[in-house]
Amino acid sequence: MFERDSTARRWSRLWSHVIDLAPAETGPFPTVLMFHGCGGVRSHIRTYAETAVRAGWRVLIIDSYGPRGWSRRWAQIFVCTGLMFRGKSRAGDVAAAIWGASQLSGVDPRRIVLTGWSHGSWALMDLMTAMLDGSPRLNMSDSIAWPVDEVRGLFLAYPYVGLVARSWRKPWLRTPRVFGVIPTQDHFSGVRGYMRAFAAPIQAGCDVELWGVEATHAFDEPGIKARLPIRFDEAASVAALSRFEAFLSRIATLPG
C-alpha cells in the first residue's frame, strides 16, 4: 500500500486529499501543515486553519486516511487503539508533506510550521527524533533532501506521549520552536508523562512553551459525544485558538 513509498509518490498520494487554504493576497506565504488526530479530519481543525488564514498564513490540512481508503470507524478500531500506524509510521507522511509543500509556489519554505492534534502530534514528535541520513527511514524508500531541519515551529495539541512514543526514550535531533498544549485532565497521560516527553525538546535546545489547561484530551473538538473521559470545553478552545494565533505571529516575525 503506502509502505516503502518514495517521497514523491507519498506526497502525490497525500496531495490528492489535501485541503489547501490561503489568504486572498499573492504569496509566497508562511505555511502551516496540519495533521489530524486518530479520529481523522474534524471540524475543529478547519477552525484552526481559518484562524491561520486570517493571520496571513497558507494552510495545508494533510489527511492521512483518505488516500489510504480508511474510514473514521476503521481508524478508531485500528489506529486509535495503537494496533497499527503508530507515530513513527505516520512520520513518513509528515516528512513527505514538508518536502511537497516546499515545492509549491506560494509557499515560503523558510517559514513552515507543523501543527498536530493527539496522534498527529505524536507523528510530529517522532519525526523530530528520526535520523535522516540518506538511508531508508520511516517506512519510506528514500529521504530525498527532506527539509525537516528547516521547519520553524511545532504546535502540539495534547500529543500522545505514551510508552511507545519515541520522545520518552530518544533525543530530539532538530530544534524548532515548540508550543505544547497539556490538558491536566487527560486520560491518556498525566502531567508528569507530558513533562517527561517534553524534556526531549528542552534538552535539545528548543525554545519550548507549555500551556497547562484544565481540560480533557480533545477538549477543542465540538460535537464530540458527551461522555467521560473526553469533554468539549468552549472557553478552553477559544483560549487554545488565541495561543495558536500568537504562536504563528511569533514565528512569522523571526528573522531569516
Side-chain angles (χ1 to χ4, degrees):
M1 198 145 139
F2 271 45
E3 303 309 312
R4 308 301 292 166
D5 266 346
S6 69
T7 299
R9 176 62 171 160
R10 178 71 59 89
W11 173 241
S12 176
R13 294 181 177 192
L14 292 171
W15 178 248
S16 67
H17 284 73
V18 164
I19 299 172
D20 185 1
L21 306 172
E25 298 82 7
T26 302
F29 301 105
T31 299
V32 184
L33 308 184
M34 295 187 165
F35 297 87
H36 58 78
C38 74
V41 178
R42 308 293 288 167
S43 64
H44 64 303
I45 295 178
R46 187 67 178 243
T47 302
Y48 279 88
E50 291 167 353
T51 298
V53 170
R54 286 195 297 270
W57 288 67
R58 185 173 178 177
V59 177
L60 302 179
I61 301 175
I62 311 298
D63 181 355
S64 288
Y65 294 167
R68 292 176 166 87
W70 295 350
S71 69
R72 172 173 165 81
R73 179 58 178 161
W74 191 96
Q76 287 175 325
I77 295 171
F78 294 101
V79 181
C80 293
T81 58
L83 292 175
M84 62 178 296
F85 203 51
R86 294 180 175 181
K88 183 181 178 183
S89 295
R90 193 175 177 196
D93 283 13
V94 181
I98 296 168
W99 176 83
S102 70
Q103 312 301 306
L104 297 175
S105 61
V107 169
D108 182 349
R110 299 165 302 173
R111 291 186 294 169
I112 289 179
V113 166
L114 310 179
T115 301
W117 291 262
S118 191
H119 191 284
S121 286
W122 177 13
L124 303 187
M125 295 177 80
D126 273 15
L127 181 61
M128 294 300 108
T129 72
M131 295 287 291
L132 306 176
D133 58 3
S135 59
R137 300 283 177 180
L138 309 176
N139 292 320
M140 305 283 283
S141 65
D142 62 16
S143 57
I144 55 170
W146 291 334
V148 177
D149 291 342
E150 302 303 316
V151 169
R152 285 299 187 93
L154 271 61
F155 186 91
L156 304 169
Y158 42 87
Y160 172 77
V161 293
L163 290 176
V164 294
R166 290 170 61 86
S167 286
W168 277 79
R169 61 191 188 281
K170 298 288 185 180
W172 278 35
L173 305 178
R174 35 210 62 92
T175 56
R177 291 198 172 200
V178 174
F179 189 98
V181 178
I182 300 177
T184 60
Q185 300 170 22
D186 196 328
H187 65 292
F188 282 118
S189 176
V191 173
R192 181 177 297 179
Y194 271 111
M195 296 308 296
R196 180 171 175 178
F198 277 108
I202 292 171
Q203 292 168 357
C206 296
D207 182 335
V208 178
E209 182 179 356
L210 301 177
W211 175 48
V213 54
E214 189 175 343
T216 71
H217 197 85
F219 65 87
D220 54 354
E221 183 177 339
I224 201 163
K225 291 183 179 179
R227 67 178 187 275
L228 294 175
I230 296 176
R231 298 183 302 278
F232 173 64
D233 187 317
E234 184 174 2
S237 300
V238 171
L241 283 168
S242 176
R243 284 164 171 78
F244 173 63
E245 185 174 4
F247 180 69
L248 294 183
S249 178
R250 291 194 294 275
I251 295 295
T253 59
L254 290 176

